[in-house]
């Protein structure tokens, strides 16, 4: 099947070069969103067949496959917004019909148009799509202190919602540029606001935005090794937090640059989860804790240190449905910070979802906890790595234990 994909803007009177106009004039079957149909209707041939692009997309592709004209070899002409390869429909065609013949006539994408209106160079723009997507990549851009971030929005991830999230986690050193109805001669509007102003505003759809620093030195560096005294603690008890040097060595043992999903079981103050999120923002981090008072503590600490995106699961881990938690990816690194004497049960439960080659790490303070870990490794056929023993100041020595799922 042959697809001719044409990018358009919101201009209700679009202009095309002669080559594209000939493609449209000779076309028989067209497709696009309802808004694209409204814009293009005056230029379509009288007998044109139109197929709306709506969700679910599988149903749309079924219509393509069974269209009599397309079965006869007619090309399908698809109208999309902007550049079809920029988070666009051409990528969907390539994924669903990899053998399809695709010809592209792109337009500027919305973030390019917004940069043009702002006369802002965009070769260094970090681009994130929140259109039908979770916060993960946006949070990653913030944590990595990207200086300019271009964001594609939707009705849930609005400019106001984005501004509020940034303020909640302390990323207040940016200003926000919002473009609405870009390309429409009557409705287009570009506004530059502070995050506080944007958090209280309503913007019409479609829109997109660019975040830029308020000043050249306003984006603070992210911390490496958070001082223990900076954390909100459980009942003020300093011994309940994994100390910073131990914390960093634990993250090194978890080998997180090569991991995708970290589970932190028994998070207490959240120090391991937060440090991991800040140093390895590509990670999906899920934190578990049985003590209800710890939920407020991890949220306070995550906001204090600018670590959005940690999924918090409260309750007895042995009663949690691991398959439900693992829907966004099976864990391949697991830190056990607390087990309440049920270490074998916890390891056995995690093994039902642990990715092949995934591993467990636990910090042992007593010979008894090390013995429990060793017994669990033997029982479940885990490969136990050499441990690391470290003593910090006047605290008892800690042994960092690691075991790998080999199959």
């Amino acid at each position: 099947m042959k697809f001719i994909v044409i990018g358009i803007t919101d201009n209700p009177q679009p202009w095309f070069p002669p080559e594209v106009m000939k493609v449209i004039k000779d076309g028989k079957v067209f497709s696009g969103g309802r808004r694209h149909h409204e814009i293009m209707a005056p230029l379509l041939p009288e007998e044109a067949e139109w197929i709306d692009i709506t969700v679910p997309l599988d149903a749309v592709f079924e219509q393509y496959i069974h269209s009599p004209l397309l079965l006869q070899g007619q090309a399908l002409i698809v109208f999309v917004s902007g550049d079809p390869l920029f988070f666009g429909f051409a990528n969907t065609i390539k994924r669903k019909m990899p053998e399809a013949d695709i010809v592209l006539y792109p337009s500027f994408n919305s973030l390019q148009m917004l940069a043009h209106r702002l006369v802002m160079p965009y070769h260094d723009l970090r681009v994130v799509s929140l259109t039908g997507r979770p916060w993960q990549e946006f949070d990653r851009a913030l944590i990595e202190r990207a200086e300019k971030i271009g964001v594609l929005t939707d009705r849930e991830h609005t400019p106001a919602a984005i501004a509020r999230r940034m303020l909640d986690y302390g990323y207040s050193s940016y200003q926000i540029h919002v473009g609405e109805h870009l390309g429409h001669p009557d409705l287009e509007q570009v506004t530059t606001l502070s995050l506080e102003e944007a958090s209280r505003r309503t913007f019409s759809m479609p829109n997109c935005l660019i975040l830029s620093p308020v000043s050249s030195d306003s984006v603070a560096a992210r911390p490496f090794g958070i001082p223990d005294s900076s954390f909100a603690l459980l009942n003020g008890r300093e011994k309940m937090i994994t100390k910073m040097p131990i914390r960093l060595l634990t993250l090194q043992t978890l080998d997180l640059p090569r991991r995708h999903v970290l589970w932190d079981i028994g998070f207490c103050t959240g120090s391991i989860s937060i440090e991991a999120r800040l140093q390895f923002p590509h990670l999906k981090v899920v934190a578990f804790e049985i003590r209800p008072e710890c939920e407020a503590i991890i949220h306070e600490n995550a906001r204090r240190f600018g670590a959005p995106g940690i999924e918090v699961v409260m309750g007895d881990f042995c009663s949690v449905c691991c398959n439900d938690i693992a829907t966004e990816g099976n864990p391949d690194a697991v830190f056990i910070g607390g087990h309440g004497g049920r270490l074998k049960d916890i390891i056995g439960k995690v093994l039902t979802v642990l990715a092949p080659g995934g591993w467990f790490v636990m910090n042992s303070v007593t010979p008894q906890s090390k013995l429990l870990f060793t017994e669990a490794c033997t029982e479940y056929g885990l490969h136990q790595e050499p441990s690391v023993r470290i003593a910090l100041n006047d605290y008892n020595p800690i042994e960092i234990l690691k075991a790998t799922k080999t199959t």
Side-chain angles (χ1 to χ4, degrees), residues 67-300:
S67 168
L69 288 172
L70 297 180
L71 288 172
Q72 295 170 20
Q74 283 287 333
L76 174 61
I77 300 170
V78 184
F79 296 102
V80 300
S81 297
D83 184 341
L85 290 175
F86 185 77
F87 299 99
F89 195 68
N91 298 318
T92 305
I93 298 170
K94 287 171 65 69
R95 185 175 67 253
K96 290 186 173 292
M97 302 181 71
E99 303 302 318
D101 180 13
I102 303 174
V103 177
L104 301 179
Y105 294 99
S107 179
F108 288 118
N109 67 61
S110 58
L111 289 174
Q112 286 176 309
M113 295 174 69
L114 179 54
H116 295 161
R117 303 299 187 268
L118 296 168
V119 195
M120 176 187 289
Y122 60 88
H123 58 273
D124 55 347
L125 187 68
R126 175 78 169 268
V127 176
V128 175
S129 176
L130 289 175
T131 306
R133 291 172 168 86
W135 289 104
Q136 173 73 13
E137 288 304 311
F138 177 73
D139 292 342
R140 179 178 180 177
L142 289 181
I143 293 169
E144 292 178 348
R145 273 52 174 184
E147 288 210 357
K148 287 190 289 192
I149 308 172
V151 185
L152 302 177
T153 63
D154 63 15
R155 295 189 182 279
E156 177 184 350
H157 305 93
T158 64
I162 290 166
R164 287 193 294 270
R165 188 175 184 84
M166 295 176 70
L167 292 170
D168 280 349
Y169 286 94
Y171 292 94
S172 57
S173 57
Y174 291 85
Q175 59 187 337
I176 186 168
H177 314 275
V178 182
E180 304 166 77
H181 296 284
L182 293 170
H184 195 294
D186 300 320
L187 300 178
E188 177 177 302
Q189 187 168 351
V190 175
T191 313
T192 296
L193 302 164
S194 69
L195 293 178
E196 290 82 359
E197 291 168 330
S199 69
R200 299 188 296 268
R201 288 277 296 268
T202 299
F203 299 89
S204 60
M205 294 289 293
N207 61 58
C208 64
L209 62 91
I210 293 177
L211 299 163
S212 65
V214 174
S215 63
S216 59
D217 59 351
S218 62
V219 180
R222 58 175 156 159
F224 178 74
I226 303 169
D228 302 332
S229 59
S230 298
F231 282 92
L233 302 172
L234 176 62
N235 300 324
R237 295 160 64 188
E238 288 189 20
K239 291 186 178 181
M240 297 299 290
I241 188 172
T242 303
K243 300 298 180 290
M244 189 252 285
I246 307 296
R247 191 162 65 240
L248 296 181
L249 186 55
T250 299
L251 297 185
Q252 187 276 332
T253 305
L254 284 161
D255 195 16
L256 296 179
R258 298 193 296 129
R259 304 290 94 183
H260 302 284
V261 180
L262 168 67
W263 281 15
D264 177 9
I265 301 173
F267 64 72
C268 191
T269 61
S271 63
I272 289 287
S273 288
I274 290 167
E275 198 84 71
R277 186 80 180 108
L278 291 177
Q279 301 310 322
F280 308 99
H282 70 281
L283 280 176
K284 170 70 177 175
V285 179
V286 186
F288 302 83
E289 177 58 60
I290 194 170
R291 291 166 290 191
E293 61 269 31
C294 291
E295 184 173 13
I297 293 172
I298 191 173
H299 287 305
E300 178 181 346

Side-chain angles (χ1 to χ4, degrees), residues 22-30 45 47-49 74-75 77:
K22 185 176 188 312
V23 169
I24 296 171
K25 179 182 176 182
D26 294 342
K28 302 289 186 185
V29 188
F30 300 84
E47 302 300 322
E49 175 187 340
Q74 283 287 333
I77 300 170

Side-chain angles (χ1 to χ4, degrees), residues 334-350:
V334 178
F335 175 70
I336 301 176
H339 54 82
R342 302 170 71 186
L343 181 60
K344 288 184 182 179
D345 292 338
I346 290 172
I347 290 177
K349 186 154 190 170
V350 173

